[in-house]
Amino acid sequence: MTLMGKKFGINRRHFIAGATAGLAAPAILTRTRAYAADPVIRIGHVSPRTGPLAGFAEADEFVLAGIEKALAGGVENNNKSYKIEIISKDSQSNPNRAAEVASELILSDEVDILVGASTPDTTNPISDQAELNEVPCITTDCPWQPYFFGRNGDPAQGFDYTYHFFWGLEDVIKAFLALWEEAGAARKVGGLFPNDADGNAWGDDQRGFPPALIGSGFELTDPGRYQPLTDDFSTQISAFKEAGCEIVTGNMIPPDFATFWSQSAQQGFQPKVVTIGKALLFPSVIESLGDRGDGLTSEIWWTPDHPFSSSLTGESARQLADGYVAASGRPWTQPIGFKHALFEVTTDVIRRTADLDDPNSILEAIQATDLPTVVGHVNWGFGPVKNVSKTPLVAGQWQKGANGMELVITSNHSAPEIPTTGKLKLLS
């Protein structure tokens, strides 16, 4: 941004929207909101409501309704009340569509802050649009390496306008290794990594699972990247059977795992532990697998048993999850906590910003965030890179209980403050 832009709070979005007006346009816009009876702050929100990633957005309507209720009276900033308008758009689980709607939110809706969640297919394209148009942006629900390095981030420089909170590959690797150590299965692992941003990060020879597994005495069989939505996993299954793999891991979208798991049964492949990121997060996926969902394992970002509360509503993790179950009649789902926390952080930023008409002032408030949320503490002052704040991660297993399949925490080595709720059992 130019020095002139920094002085007057002008950003590229305003130049694009009304470049012919020169410096007068931003000054008029600033004066209009500052002295309006009911000034409005617009938050643009992007998530995959439809498509193969829709499980991540299953609770969006519930979360947004709760946030709108909590903010109905406005947000106080510098002794003035600001109305909050949330404009939510569907990425359709498509990164190109995510970029398109993010651009609409920035250039047409003129949002003040952009937020988004759910895998690099959403977080990365909307963050790139925010960086390009110089609009503050906060994202979550994506391991930080695919978010940061997937956007060609340089740790020495970072990004200017885009900030993210979640856990990283180092955390999920530790959680999975601890879970497998408890299982006692043979240390031969089959890897399922798709040819997408997540899969390429998880299977990366330097930052992903391969070096960590080798360094911990596990033997990895990686047949190579497969194309998402493939209908044939015979090559992978044959390789795993030949290598004697008793553990299978990877990062998959739900339809791909369903195909793999069905074909594994048909081809007589019976691993003792199956620990898959992304696909096994959701109760709806486990329900669709029937009895073959019992005993599958995954990373766990958030549960009703997490010992955290909302800074915005005061609700505990348990109360937030129970509220969703009561409102929807559906089991709670992990993204609920992070979708809620996304607006906790954004509201806190709005309250603390010195000048809400200056994007640089909003950025300063984001950078100074030090907030306990329903998913843990968010603070961008501790890295691992400039634009990332890490949240805790544990691991666990889907087990058949009195009320159907229940997700229990079986391993908490990386986050002992989060209690375990069950013991791991082998698949076969």
Side-chain angles (χ1 to χ4, degrees):
M1 180 177 289
T2 64
L3 291 175
M4 180 171 61
K6 290 183 179 179
K7 178 178 179 181
F8 291 102
I10 304 168
N11 59 47
R12 187 175 302 178
R13 168 171 50 124
H14 288 129
F15 277 120
I16 294 172
T20 58
L23 294 179
I28 292 171
L29 288 172
T30 300
R31 182 180 297 276
T32 298
R33 180 157 68 189
Y35 291 96
D38 297 303
V40 176
I41 296 296
R42 292 186 178 90
I43 303 172
H45 171 250
V46 181
S47 72
R49 295 285 191 100
T50 58
L53 300 176
F56 284 90
E58 178 182 333
D60 272 16
E61 289 187 11
F62 168 79
V63 172
L64 290 172
I67 296 299
E68 289 173 354
K69 180 180 179 181
L71 301 180
V75 174
E76 293 293 318
N77 173 282
N78 291 323
N79 298 316
K80 189 172 184 65
S81 181
Y82 286 76
K83 288 186 175 181
I84 304 299
E85 179 182 354
I86 300 172
I87 306 171
S88 184
K89 299 198 176 188
D90 179 13
S91 72
Q92 301 174 3
S93 301
N94 185 310
N96 293 328
R97 177 63 179 170
E100 181 182 338
V101 296
S103 179
E104 290 174 1
L105 288 166
I106 293 168
L107 301 179
S108 298
D109 298 301
E110 293 195 341
V111 297
D112 300 280
I113 303 175
L114 188 64
V115 303
S118 308
T119 84
D121 286 336
T122 311
T123 61
N124 292 16
I126 71 169
S127 295
D128 286 344
Q129 286 296 313
E131 196 76 23
L132 175 67
N133 290 289
E134 301 177 354
V135 174
C137 178
I138 303 170
T139 54
T140 189
D141 282 16
C142 168
W144 73 263
Q145 287 93 340
Y147 161 83
F148 190 84
F149 295 111
R151 300 172 56 216
N152 297 315
D154 181 350
Q157 296 181 354
F159 298 101
D160 292 326
Y161 289 86
T162 50
Y163 289 79
H164 186 77
F165 65 96
F166 207 54
W167 41 266
L169 293 181
E170 70 278 21
D171 303 303
V172 75
I173 289 169
K174 289 179 183 178
F176 283 11
L177 289 175
L179 186 148
W180 299 338
E181 292 284 359
E182 295 172 3
R187 302 170 79 86
K188 294 185 177 182
V189 182
L192 290 166
F193 305 117
N195 186 23
D196 61 15
D198 263 337
N200 289 326
W202 285 53
D204 186 82
D205 287 338
Q206 296 182 357
R207 301 188 182 99
F209 270 77
L213 294 183
I214 294 170
S216 298
F218 288 83
E219 180 182 328
L220 176 66
T221 298
D222 180 359
R225 305 298 160 263
Y226 70 86
Q227 290 304 312
L229 296 177
T230 186
D231 60 1
D232 186 4
F233 284 94
S234 298
T235 298
Q236 290 83 358
I237 293 169
S238 295
F240 298 162
K241 290 172 67 175
E242 183 177 348
C245 295
E246 293 192 357
I247 301 171
V248 174
T249 195
N251 183 285
M252 311 176 79
I253 59 176
D256 286 346
F257 178 76
T259 301
F260 165 77
W261 200 220
S262 174
Q263 292 178 359
S264 292
Q266 294 166 3
Q267 298 176 33
F269 177 49
Q270 297 179 314
K272 293 183 177 180
V273 181
V274 174
T275 310
I276 300 292
K278 190 186 295 185
L280 303 184
L281 298 172
F282 309 113
S284 57
V285 174
I286 300 302
E287 289 171 1
S288 72
L289 298 173
D291 289 342
R292 284 182 59 75
D294 187 19
L296 297 175
T297 51
S298 178
E299 81 274 21
I300 299 179
W301 333 333
W302 182 84
T303 72
D305 295 297
H306 277 50
F308 308 125
S309 297
S310 168
S311 62
L312 183 58
T313 66
E315 294 172 286
S316 66
R318 172 65 62 183
Q319 290 171 322
L320 184 60
D322 286 350
Y324 174 73
V325 173
S328 68
R330 298 281 302 143
W332 60 270
T333 182
Q334 295 193 50
I336 292 172
F338 280 85
K339 294 295 180 73
H340 182 92
L342 189 60
F343 290 96
E344 283 187 73
V345 174
T346 305
T347 302
D348 176 66
V349 166
I350 292 170
R351 286 175 174 154
R352 293 183 293 101
T353 297
D355 181 0
L356 285 169
D357 287 294
D358 180 4
N360 288 290
S361 187
I362 295 175
L363 286 176
E364 289 174 1
I366 293 174
Q367 293 161 0
T369 296
D370 185 15
L371 185 70
T373 76
V374 77
V375 300
H377 215 96
V378 177
N379 185 320
W380 279 284
F382 298 105
V385 291
K386 171 185 172 183
N387 306 86
V388 171
S389 176
K390 293 215 301 179
T391 52
L393 184 72
V394 292
Q397 186 172 49
W398 289 97
Q399 297 179 358
K400 187 178 292 185
N403 299 314
M405 293 295 186
E406 300 176 353
L407 183 61
V408 299
I409 300 170
T410 64
S411 178
N412 67 347
H413 291 266
S414 298
E417 71 273 21
I418 299 170
T420 59
T421 57
K423 298 291 185 180
L424 184 74
K425 63 180 183 180
L426 296 178
L427 287 171
S428 59

